[in-house]
Amino acid sequence: MARALYVMSMEPESGKSIVSLGLMELLSRHVDRVGYFRPVVRASDTPDVSIELMRSQYHLAQTYEESFGVTTAQTRHVVGAADAEAIIATILGKFEEVSRQCEIVLVDGSDYQGASAAFEFEMNVSMAANLAAPVVVVSRAYDHRPDQISGALHAAHGALQDHDVPVVGYVINRVDSEKLADLKSEVADLGAPAWFLPEVPTMLLPTVGQVCDYLGAELLLGDQQNLERTVGAVLVAAMTVPNLLGRLVNDSLLIVPADRSDVLMAALAAKYSMAAPRVAGLVLTGGFDPDPHVFDFVKGFAGPQTPVMQVQGDTYDTVARLEDLRPEIEARDERKISLALGLFEAHVDTTELAKLVQVTESNVVTPLMFGNRLLRQARSAKQHVVLPEGDDDRILTAADRLLQREVCDLTILGRPDRIHDRAKSLGLHLEGANLIDPNTSPLREQFTEELYELRKHKGMTRDMAHDYAADVCIFGTMLVHNGLVGGMVSGANHTTADTIRPALQIIKTVPGVS
């Protein structure tokens, strides 16, 4: 049977999914065959979100049915020790099936949404003991005092010790920076490392797609990429357009009656205005269709479409329902996955954690392992990279993901207004990138003189050098040549020759190398 690593939380909404994702990333970096298993999942017609996330993100060979033990419906029938033992035996049997395919399995404990909290805690401890699995304990700091968190973690530590279950470490989520010092002092004697993840409000926000699914809405306009946008605020758009525009904030989700054609047109046109905040999407209420003439008109807008959804309920009921939405990290939400991994890797010592879990790197290197190791190396020696192809959506999307994971610092070449406009249309956040237009940059004159001196023996004039300096590949190469950035990545819409020739002409090879 494969080795297991168990992650268990102390209460609902602990942020355990962030920790589980970070642990899977760590394990997949070192081990060829990694598995994922949940002892208990919610009884539901839809698949468990965490299982589908891990199966998709890490290309797991296991089926959905192989990935969990029992449902919450089965745990509700537990009335005594015999029933509890039968449930645990069932879970262990399912675990053994999936473990045959793996070298190590991350076991993601229950979410405290089935039987009593006391039973679920005891079940998690018992499962870890029966699997001989070391445990990572997850708690949340939000809405708790440092002494309360400390008391709960010390109690968990004692219960795990009583069952001879080793604790790898503790991860405390949603930590207020002002309480961090007190919290560290309170948990200093736990006997295992404690890591602290700060409160990141974006992690608590739903995506447009999650809103659509939760409301059971019909998508009238928009595609999958637009559904990944994060909802920053929910606004009821019952006022006139001038008043609405004054209240918009970035990534607003507008709840609006379907007969408000003026609001529909203004919201969908906002993406064309540099002055207007981003609109994440619209939910049309009332159960009737928008005016067909107006809707045909807005469907003709160029570029990625702002999602428009339709629900049967009225505006008040729709807003009330959204208050109960508790978003989870889903397989389709690449941006939030990147943000979660960046948060974990920035605040957890993964090198120490790997040693504590006793994970050694495999001699086999799969494509997934290679990619994960590459990202780890990039983060550990953080560099400044220039991306000259700021007019390519793929480059902008990749830049957004890299910034979320804090992999490197970025400079993107192109007209800043166009890059901002495109990022706004795509729902990307590139505020952390340095944007430079080679045509207007003060560096163009400096690079012109340098190019002229480097290439005048080949017949280059100053006018030619001035034109060359505005070329994005040449400008990017000059940034590298002058040590202003550490490297350049290009080739999405430039040929290999266009990318390599400036490097050979300007930076040149090491002396003695052809």
Side-chain angles (χ1 to χ4, degrees):
M1 189 166 67
R3 291 189 299 131
L5 173 63
Y6 206 102
V7 55
M8 61 178 286
S9 61
M10 303 296 299
E11 59 186 327
E13 300 179 23
S14 64
K16 180 165 58 67
S17 58
I18 297 175
V19 179
S20 296
L21 193 60
L23 290 171
M24 280 295 287
E25 187 79 2
L26 173 67
L27 296 176
S28 66
R29 190 183 297 153
H30 292 81
V31 178
D32 177 21
R33 292 177 294 119
V34 179
Y36 178 79
F37 183 78
R38 301 211 67 197
V40 181
V41 297
R42 278 172 287 188
S44 173
D45 294 333
T46 57
D48 180 80
V49 171
S50 295
I51 291 176
E52 294 299 78
L53 167 63
M54 299 303 184
R55 290 178 66 232
S56 170
Q57 182 74 7
Y58 298 102
H59 312 295
L60 305 183
Q62 63 201 63
T63 66
Y64 178 77
E65 292 297 327
E66 291 173 328
S67 303
F68 70 92
V70 297
T71 67
T72 52
Q74 293 169 277
T75 65
R76 291 192 182 102
H77 300 304
V78 174
V79 293
D83 289 336
E85 289 177 5
I87 288 289
I88 291 173
T90 299
I91 295 171
L92 289 172
K94 291 287 295 287
F95 173 84
E96 188 172 353
E97 291 177 19
V98 76
S99 69
R100 294 193 188 107
Q101 311 169 39
C102 309
E103 296 173 51
I104 190 168
V105 179
L106 180 69
V107 183
D108 193 343
S110 60
D111 291 328
Y112 295 87
Q113 295 177 345
S116 69
F119 167 74
E120 292 204 32
F121 179 80
E122 288 297 327
M123 185 207 69
N124 283 316
V125 173
S126 179
M127 281 293 302
N130 280 285
L131 294 171
V135 170
V136 175
V137 180
V138 183
S139 181
R140 81 162 191 257
Y142 178 77
D143 209 25
H144 297 317
R145 299 190 311 269
D147 62 300
Q148 292 175 320
I149 300 165
S150 174
L153 292 181
H154 278 88
H157 184 77
L160 291 165
Q161 276 192 322
D162 290 344
H163 288 77
D164 297 318
V165 177
V167 178
V168 171
Y170 300 86
V171 181
I172 305 172
N173 275 312
R174 302 184 65 184
V175 177
D176 185 334
S177 59
E178 295 181 359
K179 298 179 180 179
L180 179 59
D182 290 342
L183 187 53
K184 284 184 175 181
S185 176
E186 287 279 356
V187 301
D189 61 345
L190 279 170
W195 297 288
F196 307 88
L197 307 187
E199 174 83 276
V200 177
T202 307
M203 292 303 303
L204 307 175
L205 301 175
T207 63
V208 176
Q210 288 172 329
V211 169
C212 187
D213 292 343
Y214 184 76
L215 295 176
E218 179 186 355
L219 184 65
L220 302 181
L221 194 63
D223 55 27
Q224 181 58 49
Q225 185 177 33
N226 298 315
L227 293 179
E228 294 177 8
R229 296 180 181 181
T230 299
V231 175
V234 176
L235 296 179
V236 176
M239 60 197 73
T240 61
V241 169
N243 287 324
L244 171 65
L245 292 176
R247 288 168 171 79
L248 280 182
V249 296
N250 266 340
D251 301 316
S252 295
L253 177 74
L254 305 185
I255 313 298
V256 56
D259 59 355
R260 289 297 303 274
S261 298
D262 55 338
V263 174
L264 175 65
M265 292 183 64
L268 296 186
K271 65 181 180 179
Y272 297 112
S273 171
M274 292 297 293
R278 285 185 296 264
V279 173
L282 291 90
V283 178
L284 305 183
T285 62
F288 48 89
D289 295 331
D291 182 277
H293 300 292
V294 172
F295 202 65
D296 286 343
F297 177 74
V298 297
K299 281 196 298 186
F301 286 176
Q305 295 286 7
T306 302
V308 177
M309 298 157 279
Q310 181 183 50
V311 296
Q312 297 301 309
D314 63 25
T315 301
Y316 177 83
D317 290 338
T318 302
V319 174
R321 286 187 63 195
L322 283 177
E323 290 180 356
D324 296 326
L325 174 57
R326 298 293 181 267
E328 298 179 88
I329 305 175
E330 298 181 351
R332 64 185 177 184
D333 190 358
E334 294 182 11
R335 190 171 188 278
K336 191 166 284 188
I337 291 170
S338 297
L339 183 60
L341 290 173
L343 181 64
F344 184 87
E345 291 161 352
H347 297 280
V348 175
D349 187 339
T350 54
T351 301
E352 179 186 19
L353 181 55
K355 291 177 181 176
L356 292 169
V357 179
Q358 297 181 342
V359 176
T360 56
E361 291 197 354
S362 169
N363 292 325
V364 177
V365 180
T366 66
L368 181 62
M369 291 168 68
F370 176 79
N372 286 341
R373 289 180 187 179
L374 195 66
L375 285 175
R376 177 190 60 183
Q377 291 170 356
R379 283 179 57 87
S380 65
K382 194 172 183 181
Q383 296 293 311
H384 192 153
V385 176
V386 58
L387 305 175
E389 298 162 315
D391 57 349
D392 191 296
D393 288 354
R394 296 167 298 172
I395 295 298
L396 299 182
T397 300
D400 175 79
R401 304 292 183 262
L402 290 169
L403 290 169
Q404 294 308 310
R405 292 192 66 175
E406 300 181 10
V407 174
C408 57
D409 295 320
L410 290 177
T411 287
I412 306 174
L413 302 186
R415 281 182 49 177
D417 57 337
R418 290 182 179 176
I419 292 174
H420 281 303
D421 184 59
R422 198 63 191 151
K424 183 177 177 180
S425 296
L426 296 170
L428 305 175
H429 295 259
L430 301 178
E431 292 83 0
N434 179 35
L435 307 183
I436 298 178
D437 182 357
N439 287 288
T440 59
S441 170
L443 290 170
R444 182 177 181 181
E445 296 306 318
Q446 174 189 331
F447 292 169
T448 295
E449 290 303 313
E450 292 178 2
L451 284 168
Y452 172 67
E453 292 298 327
L454 284 168
R455 303 294 295 170
K456 64 183 179 182
H457 68 286
K458 293 288 188 177
M460 180 174 284
T461 65
R462 277 192 171 85
D463 287 342
M464 292 170 61
H466 189 260
D467 291 339
Y468 270 52
D471 179 274
V472 290
C473 283
I474 293 174
F475 192 94
T477 303
M478 291 299 293
L479 289 174
V480 178
H481 179 60
N482 282 274
L484 299 175
V485 298
M488 181 175 81
V489 177
S490 183
N493 54 31
H494 286 85
T495 65
T496 301
D498 289 338
T499 303
I500 298 299
R501 187 184 299 108
L504 294 175
Q505 293 175 341
I506 298 167
I507 299 174
K508 307 184 186 303
T509 60
V510 173
V513 175
S514 66

